[in-house]
């Protein structure tokens, strides 16, 4: 007979509030007939491949749009470039018409954090711009973004270069701890310290998200430590991480009257970076990686991260 036990009896800091106790082990995982359609947080191999294909096409489109970034080009012209790239790949630009969004790509310039609407303003030497591309291909979405300098002035602006670099580093550090068994809440614990160490604040009101057949779904990916973050990564989970950083210490935002454009409250520049990710048995696959999907074994990095977090909690430093 299987021995029964209380799995939480030795968990430090946990105390039951009543007489009820958990009794383990749990019975084997339930098997649901393959004929029954599964919800969007359980992705079949076919669905994973669908998102993988859309992600590759979205990366291609982003690279094409980015190649047109230069002083004098309007963000509306960049939108037209994206539309052409999408059509050539037999894709629908996911943002177009999404809750009334009027364009096909988000172009967030300078102090705009996210959801900037392409318009007739020419890019200027010294600007930075985030291009956020999502394509819908044969029933699946692929999503990514990146921030770029415009002209020589921006390339030589140390603060802007540091902001863009830090956004990407925060994303990479978060990706490197993704894998089965990792709480989604740990993402914020990786991003926030690195951002602040480099003179940047993490935007709190906008998050990463689950993606697949649905543009934005569960889980919600917070980029700062919060008790709102819940859930554990499991093989087959697909989601985005997209940290948005503001230069300085102010993380708050303000919305323009168009009900889409989100800007920093103090006018400080903002940058972001994003990839679509698939959790594997040993780590993570970056579906939107430059050069094609790339798998990473994160086993050692995950173990080291959780060990360091536990040590900080025990010492009272966190």
């Amino acid at each position: 007979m299987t021995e029964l036990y209380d799995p939480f009896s030795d968990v430090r800091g946990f105390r039951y509030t009543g007489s009820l106790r958990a009794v383990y082990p749990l019975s084997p995982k339930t098997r649901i007939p393959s004929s029954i359609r599964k919800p969007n947080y359980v992705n079949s191999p076919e669905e994973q491949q669908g998102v993988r294909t859309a992600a590759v096409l979205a990366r291609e489109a982003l690279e094409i749009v980015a190649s047109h970034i230069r002083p004098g080009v309007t963000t509306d012209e960049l939108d037209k470039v994206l539309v052409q790239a999408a059509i050539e790949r037999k894709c629908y630009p996911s943002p177009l018409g999404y809750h009334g969004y009027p364009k096909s790509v988000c172009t967030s310039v300078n102090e705009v954090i996210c959801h900037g609407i392409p318009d007739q303003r020419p890019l200027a030497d010294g600007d930075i711009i985030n291009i956020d591309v999502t394509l819908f291909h044969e029933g699946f979405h692929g999503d990514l973004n990146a921030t770029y300098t415009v002209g020589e002035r921006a390339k030589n602006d140390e603060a802007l270069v540091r902001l863009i670099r830090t956004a990407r580093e925060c994303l990479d550090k978060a990706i490197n701890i993704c894998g089965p068994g990792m709480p989604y809440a740990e993402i914020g614990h990786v991003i926030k310290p690195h951002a602040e160490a480099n003179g940047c604040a993490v935007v709190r009101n906008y998050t990463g998200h689950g993606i697949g057949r649905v543009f934005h779904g569960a889980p919600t990916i917070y980029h700062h430590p919060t008790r709102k973050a819940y859930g554990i990564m499991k093989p087959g989970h697909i989601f985005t991480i997209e940290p948005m950083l503001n230069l300085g210490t102010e993380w708050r935002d303000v919305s323009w009257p168009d009900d889409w454009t989100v800007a920093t409250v103090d006018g400080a520049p903002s940058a972001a970076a994003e990839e679509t990710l698939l959790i594997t048995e040993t780590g993570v696959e970056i579906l939107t990686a430059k050069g094609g999907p790339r798998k990473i074994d994160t086993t050692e990095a995950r173990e080291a991260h959780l060990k360091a977090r536990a040590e900080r909690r025990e010492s009272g430093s966190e």
Side-chain angles (χ1 to χ4, degrees):
M1 181 177 178
T2 303
E3 183 177 353
L4 303 180
Y5 64 95
D6 177 354
F8 311 129
S9 60
D10 296 325
V11 176
R12 182 189 297 270
F14 174 76
R15 184 172 61 183
Y16 287 107
T17 58
S19 60
L20 186 68
R21 299 291 184 271
V23 181
Y24 277 44
L26 299 180
S27 59
K29 183 178 179 180
T30 303
R31 292 184 177 275
I32 303 298
S34 59
S35 59
I36 297 177
R37 184 172 180 177
K38 297 178 176 59
N40 65 355
Y41 52 82
V42 181
N43 297 291
S44 68
E46 292 76 19
E47 290 169 320
Q48 292 174 28
Q49 185 55 45
V51 179
R52 185 179 288 109
T53 299
V56 168
L57 297 174
R59 165 58 72 176
E60 292 176 0
L62 174 63
E63 297 295 335
I64 290 171
V65 175
S67 72
H68 287 74
I69 294 173
R70 61 180 60 87
V73 172
T74 68
T75 49
D76 189 67
E77 289 173 307
L78 296 180
D79 183 79
K80 289 181 172 61
V81 172
L82 182 280
V83 170
Q84 184 61 36
I87 292 172
E88 289 174 355
R89 286 159 179 77
K90 296 181 171 54
C91 295
Y92 183 91
S94 303
L96 184 60
Y98 182 74
H99 293 295
Y101 187 78
K103 290 293 182 177
S104 299
V105 66
C106 295
T107 53
S108 301
V109 179
N110 296 339
E111 72 271 19
V112 175
I113 296 169
C114 59
H115 306 158
I117 297 174
D119 62 16
Q120 304 307 318
R121 177 190 179 274
L123 294 174
D125 188 2
D127 286 346
I128 60 172
I129 180 171
N130 179 271
I131 305 293
D132 194 340
V133 170
T134 310
L135 296 187
F136 185 68
H137 180 75
E138 296 185 355
F140 299 94
H141 299 271
D143 187 9
L144 77 162
N145 75 54
T147 306
Y148 305 89
T149 56
V150 181
E152 293 302 315
R153 283 182 56 197
K155 286 181 182 178
N156 294 315
D157 187 315
E158 186 276 333
L160 293 180
V161 172
R162 170 166 48 86
L163 171 66
I164 295 171
R165 182 186 68 241
T166 302
R168 182 68 221 191
E169 289 173 350
C170 284
L171 173 58
D172 289 338
K173 286 179 176 294
I175 290 173
N176 285 338
I177 66 157
C178 286
M182 180 62 68
Y184 281 102
E186 291 304 313
I187 290 172
H189 288 282
V190 170
I191 289 174
K192 186 172 182 284
H194 187 71
E196 293 182 346
N198 285 275
C200 301
V202 180
V203 173
R204 300 183 188 180
N205 291 333
Y206 295 89
T207 65
H209 52 88
I211 190 168
R213 294 185 184 275
V214 177
F215 191 171
H216 296 96
T220 299
I221 308 299
Y222 292 92
H223 305 119
H224 66 285
T226 173
R227 292 185 179 181
K228 294 179 181 179
Y230 62 90
I232 304 294
M233 299 178 197
K234 296 181 180 180
H237 285 191
I238 301 176
F239 56 93
T240 72
I241 301 177
E242 46 187 302
M244 289 153 258
L245 307 186
N246 300 339
L247 194 60
T249 59
E250 181 57 80
W251 60 265
R252 293 176 298 170
D253 59 80
V254 60
S255 294
W256 287 12
D258 60 21
D259 293 328
W260 281 105
T261 306
V262 179
T264 58
V265 296
D266 57 359
S270 185
E274 176 186 20
E275 303 279 12
T276 294
L277 310 168
L278 165 67
I279 298 301
T280 67
E281 295 291 341
T282 58
V284 62
E285 181 178 356
I286 308 172
L287 301 181
T288 45
K290 198 168 186 175
R294 183 171 75 251
K295 291 183 178 180
I296 302 174
D297 186 333
T298 62
T299 304
E300 292 185 7
R302 280 181 282 131
E303 291 175 352
H305 169 77
L306 292 175
K307 180 180 178 181
R309 283 271 284 133
E311 291 174 349
R312 288 197 296 272
R313 284 194 294 267
E314 287 189 7
S315 67
S317 62
E318 187 173 290

